[in-house]
Every structure is written in structure tokens, then in C-alpha cells.
Amino acid sequence: GETTVVKQMVLSCTDQKRVVLHGGWEVKEARNLRMFAGFSLGLSRTKIWTGNLTDEEARAVKDEARRIWNGDHPLLKFMVRPFDREPTKNQKKERRYGNDYNLDTIHEHIEAAGADVAIFDLFHKALVEMKPDDEKRALDRVQGIAEATKCHIVLLHHVNKEDMQNSPGHLPTRKAIKGSSAWLDSVDTVLATHAPAMWKRVPNDKLEILIL
């Protein structure tokens, strides 16, 4: 449910006239844009994701996506993922790889966008050095970028579903967060989503947000 929450968060921020930089790196850019367009039109996530739209809805989504992508929605700006997990020979030769280089790139994009809010989904896709110390340095660096740019930064991350299956009520816990403890130690607030209908026979009409 985290991607659904973030889409709503972005639209809420733009309604408040805040400039949002969005790096939607978990899915292809075209699908990500369709999701934004559908949410902007008030369509359900399931209909957008499955493509189960009427001809009229499909045309409306296409027009809204074109409007957003062409800059008619100036408060929403996109950062296409410029990172490669395995650097090429040219990247190595020019030293255009590694966490520091990628974080420099993120810093530049935030400044260029003049963003009030920057959201990266999933942030770990920007990391090529994944040891616990590397993660901690990267997350501490994000704090520095936030302070330097006066930008509120939101990082999306995954939890371990097996840990959720074994937790009381199948609720996400601090223990379930993947990766090093830096994901708890180096950030200000940790929110987790929980859809009760994933775990028991109840109407699929509620999405809870827990503060961990």
C-alpha cells in the first residue's frame, strides 16, 4: 500500500501549492505516470493497475497523463532513475557510479526542481553499495541534503512479509523493515502501511498508516 499512499501524498502536496519532485523507480515510467493520472481523476488503483477501464476512462487517463508529463502540472516534477546497479566500463573510468555520485545527482535534481517535497520510490534503487555502513552513510547524507535544500524528503522502503506474517495481527513492525538498523536510526519518522483485507476476510476498503 505504500505506493498508493505516496500517490495521494503527492497530489495533496500539489493541491497545497508545494513543488514535488517524484522519483518513481519501482515501476516503469509510463505505468507510474498512468497511476498518477488515474489518481488525479479519482479512479480506483485496481482499475488503473489492471487496465480495466472503459474507453472514456482510458481516453481521460491518457489526456491527463499527457497534461502532467508536458508540464501543465508545474508543481509536479519527475526524476527518472539515472542509476545503474552494475556500472559500465565508461562509468568506472569517469567515476560516475557509487552512492556518493548518485546522492550528488539527487541533490542536483532537488535543487534544480526547487522542490519543497521530494519522494523516492524505492530509494534503495539509488544505492549501489549496500553494506550496512554504506546504507547508514547514505541515509545520513540524505539528512544533510534535506537540510541544505530545505526540502522534506520521503524515502520508500520495503518490509519483510515473512516477519509480518508472524507478528500479532500481521501488523508491520520495526523488526520487519529490511536492511540495516540505519533505516530506523537515521530518519526522523517511520510510517508503515497495513491493509487488513490482505490478512483476513474483511471488506477491502481500509488502509491503515502506523507510526513506528
Side-chain angles (χ1 to χ4, degrees), residues 20-188:
V20 180
L21 176 67
H22 184 261
W25 301 331
E26 191 174 20
V27 298
K28 296 290 186 180
E29 283 76 29
R31 172 170 281 196
N32 191 45
L33 185 59
R34 284 197 300 273
M35 291 290 290
F36 263 117
F39 272 70
S40 181
L41 295 170
L43 299 175
S44 77
R45 180 187 187 279
T46 301
K47 292 193 72 171
I48 305 162
W49 194 256
T50 60
N52 186 25
L53 303 171
T54 66
D55 290 343
E56 183 178 355
E57 288 172 335
R59 284 193 296 271
V61 167
K62 187 175 181 179
D63 290 343
E64 181 69 0
R66 186 181 296 113
R67 184 181 74 84
I68 293 172
W69 185 253
N70 288 340
D72 294 335
H73 205 310
L75 296 174
L76 176 56
K77 304 178 181 182
F78 293 92
M79 180 180 178
V80 177
R81 182 163 72 97
F83 316 118
D84 294 311
R85 188 52 63 93
E86 293 295 331
T88 65
K89 290 183 179 179
N90 285 337
Q91 286 176 319
K92 289 182 178 180
K93 183 178 179 180
E94 299 172 9
R95 299 193 64 79
R96 294 177 57 250
Y97 69 97
N99 290 353
D100 284 335
Y101 178 85
N102 291 349
L103 290 167
D104 285 343
T105 303
I106 287 173
H107 193 161
E108 291 167 2
H109 275 73
I110 291 174
E111 286 190 333
D116 301 303
V117 180
I119 297 175
F120 303 110
D121 178 12
L122 290 162
F123 177 71
H124 80 80
K125 291 183 179 293
L127 303 181
V128 293
E129 297 154 322
M130 302 290 289
K131 294 179 181 178
D133 287 347
D134 296 328
E135 284 188 332
K136 177 171 173 41
R137 281 193 294 270
L139 292 168
D140 288 344
R141 173 87 187 278
V142 169
Q143 285 279 16
I145 294 172
E147 292 174 7
T149 58
K150 301 295 187 291
C151 179
H152 190 95
I153 299 178
V154 180
L155 309 178
L156 268 72
H157 193 54
H158 276 166
V159 295
N160 190 319
K161 292 183 179 179
E162 290 184 2
D163 285 336
M164 289 177 62
Q165 287 174 342
N166 296 325
S167 70
H170 303 297
L171 295 174
T173 64
R174 293 161 62 94
K175 180 182 176 182
I177 297 173
K178 289 185 176 180
S180 72
S181 61
W183 291 98
L184 286 167
D185 300 336
S186 299
V187 299
D188 296 315

